[in-house]
Amino acid sequence: MTIEHIQNELIEEFSFFEDWTQRYEYLIELGKSLPLIDEQYKTENHLIKGCQSQVWLHAEKQGNELVFTADSDAIITKGIVALLIRVFSHQTPENILNADVSFIDKIGLKDHLSPTRANGLVSMIQQMKQYARQELEKKN
């Protein structure tokens, strides 16, 4: 499934909710279903800088695709990283780097996050793209 298709699914899913209380509840549910990062990756090296809460992110290459796992000590943040993993996991590094993440604005997520959480969201996206960049550099 393409990144664009996954983003469109998320936009549609979020449109079913009438208010942000329901959307936050959905984010929390997404976080609960997040495939957890292996404990060996819950280290300083995998910690995302710029996040208010602790977020660990790991990328592993499987075939031509990157597969992400993550965890966080905050339930909303865990839901946010689960959203991003749904979009970027099982995608090629090229597709991750070229991805437009406009779905974040379309579902209104950035408007409903505190400035520090919004910065954390940007940091998560940057880290995922950095993993993709590193994989491309290994290839070349």
Side-chain angles (χ1 to χ4, degrees), residues 3-134:
I3 288 174
E4 186 177 356
H5 184 81
I6 295 166
Q7 289 185 41
N8 287 336
E9 277 185 354
L10 287 168
I11 292 165
E12 189 175 328
E13 287 169 23
F14 273 79
S15 74
F16 291 128
F17 302 108
E18 293 177 20
D19 60 34
W20 265 94
T21 302
Q22 292 175 333
R23 290 179 180 154
Y24 281 130
E25 288 171 11
Y26 184 59
L27 268 178
I28 291 166
E29 287 305 310
L30 287 174
K32 288 178 181 175
S33 68
L34 182 68
L36 289 185
I37 192 169
D38 191 300
E39 286 297 316
Q40 70 177 329
Y41 301 118
K42 283 180 108 174
T43 64
E44 189 70 30
N45 289 344
H46 292 88
L47 208 53
I48 295 182
K49 313 294 182 262
C51 281
Q52 174 182 338
S53 30
Q54 292 189 307
V55 181
W56 298 271
L57 180 69
H58 174 67
E60 190 172 297
K61 192 161 187 216
Q62 291 182 3
N64 293 328
E65 300 173 341
L66 285 179
V67 176
F68 293 97
T69 55
D71 196 8
S72 176
D73 60 353
I75 56 173
I76 295 288
T77 306
K78 199 169 180 171
I80 293 168
V81 78
L83 269 181
L84 296 175
I85 285 177
R86 184 164 156 195
V87 170
F88 290 128
S89 210
H90 297 284
Q91 300 293 332
T92 64
E94 294 87 354
N95 287 346
I96 293 168
L97 283 172
N98 294 325
D100 166 344
V101 287
S102 60
F103 83 98
I104 292 167
D105 293 328
K106 290 179 181 167
I107 65 174
L109 183 59
K110 256 191 178 169
D111 298 335
H112 291 87
L113 294 177
S114 67
T116 51
R117 279 229 169 89
N119 288 340
L121 169 66
V122 170
S123 295
M124 288 180 223
I125 294 167
Q126 287 173 338
Q127 185 59 53
M128 292 173 125
K129 289 194 176 222
Q130 181 60 33
Y131 278 129
R133 202 171 292 111
Q134 288 169 348

